[in-house]
Amino acid sequence: MKKLFVSALIATMFVSTLAACSSNNEPSGSASAPASSAASSEKPSEPAKADPTGFSISMRTLNVSYVEQHPDINKDKYVLELEKMTNTDLDIRLIPHNEYQDKMVQMFATNDIPDVVQGSGGISGNELAGAVPNGVFLPLNDLLKEHGQNLLKFIPQEAWARMTDSKTGNIYGIPEILSNPSRRATWIRTDLLEKTGKPVPKTVEETIDVLRAFKELGVEQPYAGRKNFKYADTFFGSYDVLGYLNSFKQFPDGKVKPSFFDAEAMKKALLAYKAMYDEGLISKEFATVESADFKSIVTSGKAGMWSMNANELPIWGAQLMANVPGAKVALIPSPVGDDGKGGYGHYNPVTRSYFINVKAKDKAAEIVKFFDWMVGEQAELFFSYGIEGEDYQTDGSNVQYVAPTDEEGTNKQRYLNYWLWMVQDTTYNKRIADLSEPGKMMVDAFDNMLSKEGRRGIEFEPRLEALVKYPDLNPLSDQLPPLVLEHVLKMVYGKEPIDNYEKVLEEYLSKGGNEVIEEATARYNDKDNAFE
Amino acid sequence: MWKYRTLYLISIPGIVYFLVFKYVPLLGSVIAFQNYNLFAGFGGSPWVGFEHFERMFSHYDFLRILKNTLLLGAYDILFAFTAPIVLALLLNEVRLTLYKKLIQTIVYAPHFLSWVIISGIFVGMLSPSSGIANVILGWFGIDPIYFLGEDSYIRAILVGSGLWRDVGWGTIIYLAALTGINPELYEASEIDGAGRWKQTLKITLPALLPVITVLFLLKIGDFMDYGFERVFVFQNPLNIQNSEILDTYIYKAGLKQLQYSYATAIGLFKSVVGLILLVMANSLSRKATGESLY
């Protein structure tokens, strides 16, 4: 009995120490790599290859349901096929989408860093927790010259610039790119527009007229508003006062300031929103509309006009038409302001990025080859359609592929097109888009309309020290800084006069804004990691 | 010692648990006095003394955030702490067992909902266009009110939603204590001519007092920890003036910006205030009622 007690006790202590020392970083995939799964299946047509290169890679799930519902992504047939094609043996560690930053920081803090780390954007994103300056990752310049020629050709210079430490010239990561950073579009219900008998609106005034006509038709929400003006910033875009991280501008006085310092333009935008609020063209309670409500408002046919990512056109469009018989939707040029331009905040040209751990030095060449393969012809076919002979047929030149319509099929396609294809131009998948009418419309909108609109200015990466120090002045990627947002929203709701906007700017300056502008101006003049 | 060896043995896992999971992490609080660098660890990060505390106290909104934190804490003790006691006493008077069980189940249920769901329910109920609250106001000819778009209602909504969620859950421990009261006491008091009200006042409440005191003291210890999520899900720029509390500020200024030292400093400040309050309340209650935690 006593013996039993003692051994139980030792076991308890052992377990609790283990639990304390191990990281509580639990990716939903299994941590044990299937060692022999890839090696055992070689193509008979090829001579025996060297052993596959095994490496671990952390990847965010990105809300892709195929990935999140998979019992073990490392045993997925497409992952196995990818391993076969590239002669690798991947150990994918999934990072939950909603806890991405926390889990990444945990990963670095516990020093449980995989061979390849997936970031989202440049070398100084918060999710990397300062890993690059702390020497966690390998500089890739020589490896890319030797094994990554296709990557160097495919990826534009401005994307490489985001992956480069401007002081040393070292490239630290391989970026996935967005050749067209103008992602968001103005959507309109063309069936309702026909009923009003008005042409497609071009200016802000014309747009508000159309919204009024929608109201008369009995449309519940002529313009779909949303909390914090997220995806409801159309008119801030028209007047170029978005004030996001990439919207700094050089003002006539030579200083670099956030774009909302153009007080006259901001007041025009606010007057437009206030008129919409007063006349009921935007929901009176848009300040509490969350993203899920927003989607249901749009897809249930309650809205006449809204802003959304253009690549949702095939999906949202289909849902809307299923719910509202006779509904038609189109992407139109965004309303233009005084300078004849409009549009939404541009995205970062780098979407996901891949960093190689210093400790994986001996595998680094093979890892670079793996990513180099991603931008080739074979990869394009595989990630667009799937496995040859199973998902699609080909006679060498023509491809026969039936686009899926059921949920399971579309989930799988999204997983291949968007998630597993790690390095690509992720603006849209041309091969898939060409298969359907809405897809062709979307491509047309991206290539001929969105590429000509959108707002961008100067961006600093790593972000300004002053913005980290004063969180109230720190804009999110697509929201005004909290301090400005609070006042602007109150002005639209009529709780504060719009004429007070200069006072808001004064407040901004007095609460740390002077430091922000000083630092921005200095960095812009020194060309210190400032991107235009 | 040797005589009670088995007792000591079975207490070891508990002691180890507290050492490993409660006391060792406490040492991590030193990063409040450093500029913590994730990769250097707290062995290699530079010491900066009280810099982060100075930054917190000199923040232009510090007093407002502290005021919100204290006010919400005070309201919570005033309403959310007393409500379960009242509810338990009321339930205790219900004679029909089936009915009592039914009521209990209904009031427990919300405790198992997440704050995200609760905020969804409340935002829906308080909506000026479709919310039930404004429909009822409409019967009295009152114009719809945008409850969540005002600074003035937000504290009531925060306390109210917490009350709704946890009031039933809070009654469990009181109901357990009530079953332990000797029924002979009630019989004796009836013979002396005491009614239900007198009985509650002279027997039930004194019997509950030890439990109430202990729970109250624990609550005082958490005075500054109102909870991040329950506030965050209701926040928007129209009500932030009255709803920004230390917990939400830590999230925005510290965790999201990777300012771990700053976040820890604010957290430490909260804990120290909580500890001081607890010690004071404990000695007060020992003098006043004879009941205390230690």
Side-chain angles (χ1 to χ4, degrees):
Chain A
M1 191 67 212
K2 210 161 106 180
K3 251 191 180 161
L4 189 87
F5 252 118
V6 172
S7 51
L9 179 73
I10 290 170
T12 321
M13 290 188 69
F14 185 65
V15 167
S16 41
T17 2
L18 258 191
C21 299
S22 76
S23 74
N24 42 5
N25 179 9
E26 290 181 30
S28 27
S30 83
S32 58
S36 60
S37 51
S40 60
S41 52
E42 284 177 12
K43 283 188 184 166
S45 57
E46 291 178 32
K49 282 194 225 168
D51 280 345
T53 313
F55 63 90
S56 51
I57 174 169
S58 64
M59 292 179 78
R60 187 177 187 175
T61 60
L62 291 172
N63 275 345
V64 174
S65 45
Y66 185 95
V67 177
E68 291 180 348
Q69 289 162 10
H70 206 293
D72 180 0
I73 200 72
N74 284 306
K75 293 200 174 70
D76 178 63
K77 68 177 179 183
Y78 295 101
V79 173
L80 296 179
E81 181 73 13
L82 170 63
E83 290 174 340
K84 208 158 72 182
M85 286 195 231
T86 53
N87 195 31
T88 51
D89 178 9
L90 300 177
D91 167 18
I92 298 173
R93 301 182 189 176
L94 297 175
I95 314 272
H97 182 74
N98 295 333
E99 303 158 75
Y100 177 62
Q101 188 178 308
D102 293 348
K103 293 285 181 202
M104 289 285 283
V105 170
Q106 234 170 56
M107 190 174 86
F108 289 116
T110 54
N111 209 359
D112 176 30
I113 308 170
D115 299 326
V116 180
V117 173
Q118 180 194 67
S120 51
I123 55 176
S124 53
N126 270 353
E127 77 281 354
L128 296 175
V132 170
N134 278 290
V136 175
F137 300 125
L138 209 57
L140 304 174
N141 305 43
D142 299 342
L143 286 164
L144 284 166
K145 279 197 193 85
E146 205 172 332
H147 306 290
Q149 278 305 324
N150 295 318
L151 288 169
L152 290 172
K153 279 194 208 77
F154 178 79
I155 293 164
Q157 195 44 48
E158 65 160 349
W160 285 120
R162 303 269 177 163
M163 311 313 297
T164 309
D165 179 354
S166 69
K167 291 192 181 68
T168 58
N170 286 342
I171 298 173
Y172 281 103
I174 296 168
E176 177 183 47
I177 59 160
L178 206 51
S179 63
N180 180 349
S182 179
R183 305 280 296 157
R184 295 187 185 186
T186 305
W187 300 43
I188 196 162
R189 284 275 303 277
T190 41
D191 58 314
L192 298 174
L193 188 65
E194 277 166 28
K195 276 187 197 156
T196 66
K198 288 182 184 286
V200 172
K202 291 191 179 61
T203 63
V204 173
E205 291 77 17
E206 287 170 10
T207 306
I208 290 181
D209 268 343
V210 167
L211 294 178
R212 286 184 184 123
F214 281 166
K215 179 92 186 160
E216 277 165 33
L217 284 179
V219 179
E220 188 181 311
Q221 297 190 20
Y223 179 86
R226 188 167 144 187
K227 192 173 180 175
N228 298 345
F229 292 110
K230 200 179 162 90
Y231 282 99
D233 50 3
T234 310
F235 302 97
F236 293 126
S238 304
Y239 293 104
D240 197 12
V241 287
L242 293 166
Y244 303 153
L245 280 173
N246 61 355
S247 334
F248 281 84
K249 283 202 304 201
Q250 192 166 24
F251 276 70
D253 62 1
K255 288 190 176 155
V256 175
K257 307 177 195 176
S259 60
F260 53 75
F261 263 79
D262 186 344
E264 289 314 305
M266 179 54 116
K267 283 182 186 171
K268 283 180 183 161
L270 289 176
L271 282 169
Y273 277 111
K274 176 125 181 38
M276 284 159 59
Y277 175 81
D278 290 340
E279 296 175 38
L281 309 179
I282 187 171
S283 165
K284 292 270 185 214
E285 48 199 290
F286 77 90
T288 43
V289 172
E290 303 277 356
S291 65
D293 311 331
F294 178 80
K295 185 173 180 175
S296 78
I297 286 165
V298 168
T299 53
S300 63
K302 287 180 186 165
M305 185 176 178
W306 62 91
S307 153
M308 192 61 241
N309 292 358
N311 55 353
E312 295 285 355
L313 182 64
I315 303 140
W316 284 42
Q319 287 176 343
L320 177 66
M321 282 167 220
N323 292 335
V324 186
K328 289 209 296 277
V329 69
L331 308 181
I332 58 170
S334 302
V336 298
D338 297 339
D339 60 354
K341 292 189 206 151
Y344 301 93
H346 274 187
Y347 280 55
N348 189 322
V350 172
T351 49
R352 298 183 290 181
S353 45
Y354 301 87
F355 301 85
I356 301 177
N357 193 332
V358 168
K359 291 178 187 143
K361 210 178 170 124
D362 49 345
K363 308 174 189 170
E366 298 303 319
I367 293 173
V368 171
K369 281 183 198 165
F370 169 81
F371 286 114
D372 195 60
W373 173 87
M374 290 262 167
V375 296
E377 175 82 15
Q378 192 190 11
E380 190 184 329
L381 280 170
F382 171 67
F383 291 118
S384 297
Y385 304 126
I387 299 171
E388 189 187 335
E390 190 174 329
D391 296 298
Y392 72 102
Q393 313 297 335
T394 178
D395 53 11
S397 57
N398 289 321
V399 172
Q400 287 184 337
Y401 174 77
V402 181
T405 48
D406 60 314
E407 193 179 352
E408 197 187 339
T410 46
N411 281 347
K412 185 198 79 188
Q413 187 178 292
R414 184 168 163 74
Y415 156 71
L416 279 173
N417 293 176
Y418 166 77
W419 194 84
L420 195 58
W421 196 352
M422 300 176 195
V423 178
Q424 56 166 321
D425 175 0
T426 188
T427 306
Y428 51 74
N429 187 305
K430 180 128 183 67
R431 283 174 179 268
I432 297 297
D434 281 346
L435 298 172
S436 72
E437 255 342 283
K440 285 181 185 154
M441 267 169 71
M442 175 188 83
V443 170
D444 179 57
F446 266 119
D447 291 354
N448 304 318
M449 182 178 85
L450 292 174
S451 54
K452 298 185 183 66
E453 70 174 41
R455 298 290 191 178
R456 71 195 300 180
I458 302 162
E459 180 177 8
F460 299 95
E461 203 187 314
R463 74 177 54 174
L464 302 166
E465 292 287 323
L467 289 180
V468 178
K469 197 167 149 193
Y470 302 109
D472 272 349
L473 311 185
N474 188 14
L476 298 173
S477 57
D478 60 352
Q479 286 174 35
L480 286 163
L483 183 141
V484 181
L485 181 62
E486 193 184 318
H487 285 290
V488 161
L489 201 59
K490 282 186 173 160
M491 286 172 180
V492 172
Y493 271 87
K495 294 172 193 282
E496 246 180 77
I498 291 177
D499 289 336
N500 267 4
Y501 186 70
E502 277 85 1
K503 286 207 183 97
V504 177
L505 293 181
E506 279 165 33
E507 188 184 340
Y508 179 93
L509 291 173
S510 69
K511 288 181 173 174
N514 280 321
E515 279 178 55
V516 173
I517 289 166
E518 241 167 81
E519 192 187 346
T521 308
R523 268 180 70 173
Y524 177 69
N525 293 336
D526 297 348
K527 304 250 180 305
D528 174 8
N529 284 317
F531 299 94
E532 286 201 62
Chain B
M1 177 85 191
W2 192 242
K3 189 174 162 194
Y4 297 113
R5 60 186 181 278
T6 42
L7 275 181
Y8 284 116
L9 265 180
I10 52 177
S11 69
I12 282 180
I15 293 169
V16 168
Y17 166 82
F18 276 100
L19 278 177
V20 169
F21 291 108
K22 300 289 174 200
Y23 284 89
V24 173
L26 269 183
L27 301 177
S29 300
V30 301
I31 68 170
F33 305 98
Q34 299 179 322
N35 260 335
Y36 180 62
N37 175 327
L38 212 63
F39 299 92
F42 37 72
S45 301
W47 294 89
V48 295
F50 284 91
E51 190 186 290
H52 296 293
F53 292 90
E54 283 162 21
R55 182 182 155 193
M56 169 175 71
F57 293 129
S58 63
H59 184 274
Y60 56 83
D61 258 353
F62 176 71
L63 283 178
R64 182 171 61 83
I65 295 170
L66 186 66
K67 186 186 95 176
N68 288 339
T69 312
L70 295 175
L71 265 178
L72 272 174
Y75 287 153
D76 210 45
I77 285 192
L78 206 62
F79 297 106
F81 179 75
T82 51
I85 303 170
V86 176
L87 185 64
L89 291 175
L90 291 173
L91 278 172
N92 196 38
E93 299 299 321
V94 176
R95 286 285 157 259
L96 202 63
T97 320
L98 188 72
Y99 183 60
K100 183 173 160 181
K101 287 270 180 270
L102 184 75
I103 297 275
Q104 274 184 352
T105 311
I106 291 171
V107 292
Y108 288 170
H111 176 79
F112 299 98
L113 299 175
S114 75
W115 283 110
V116 178
I117 307 273
I118 292 175
S119 83
I121 294 172
F122 271 75
V123 169
M125 286 198 319
L126 298 170
S127 151
S129 61
S130 56
I132 182 83
N134 278 303
V135 171
I136 293 169
L137 288 180
W139 296 341
F140 300 99
I142 300 169
D143 283 338
I145 301 169
Y146 192 14
F147 289 101
L148 280 161
E150 301 269 351
D151 280 329
S152 45
Y153 297 107
I154 187 67
R155 292 192 189 119
I157 293 169
L158 288 172
V159 175
S161 60
L163 189 70
W164 177 77
R165 179 180 185 261
D166 287 327
V167 66
W169 190 250
T171 58
I172 293 178
I173 203 156
Y174 296 117
L175 287 169
L178 285 170
T179 53
I181 302 174
N182 189 346
E184 283 180 18
L185 292 173
Y186 290 112
E187 286 160 19
S189 69
E190 258 174 59
I191 291 165
D192 290 343
R196 302 289 316 167
W197 176 239
K198 274 276 190 231
Q199 285 180 6
T200 305
L201 229 46
K202 302 284 183 195
I203 299 167
T204 317
L205 269 179
L208 277 184
L209 195 63
V211 181
I212 293 176
T213 314
V214 167
L215 287 179
F216 181 74
L217 290 172
L218 289 174
K219 184 110 185 150
I220 289 280
D222 295 338
F223 192 73
M224 305 280 273
D225 295 321
Y226 193 69
F228 155 75
E229 203 189 354
R230 59 185 295 189
V231 179
F232 187 74
V233 292
F234 284 104
Q235 269 185 347
N236 68 56
L238 294 175
N239 62 33
I240 197 120
Q241 286 291 334
N242 282 358
S243 66
E244 186 82 309
I245 59 169
L246 283 169
D247 287 321
T248 54
Y249 180 72
I250 287 176
Y251 170 76
K252 284 171 204 169
L255 302 181
K256 268 184 105 165
Q257 313 277 343
L258 304 178
Q259 307 249 314
Y260 292 116
S261 289
Y262 189 42
T264 309
I266 306 174
L268 207 57
F269 165 74
K270 269 178 26 184
S271 309
V272 170
V273 172
L275 181 69
I276 293 169
L277 284 173
L278 179 65
V279 171
M280 276 169 30
N282 195 60
S283 62
L284 275 176
S285 119
R286 200 172 45 230
K287 287 192 180 99
T289 65
E291 302 288 346
S292 63
L293 276 179
Y294 54 87

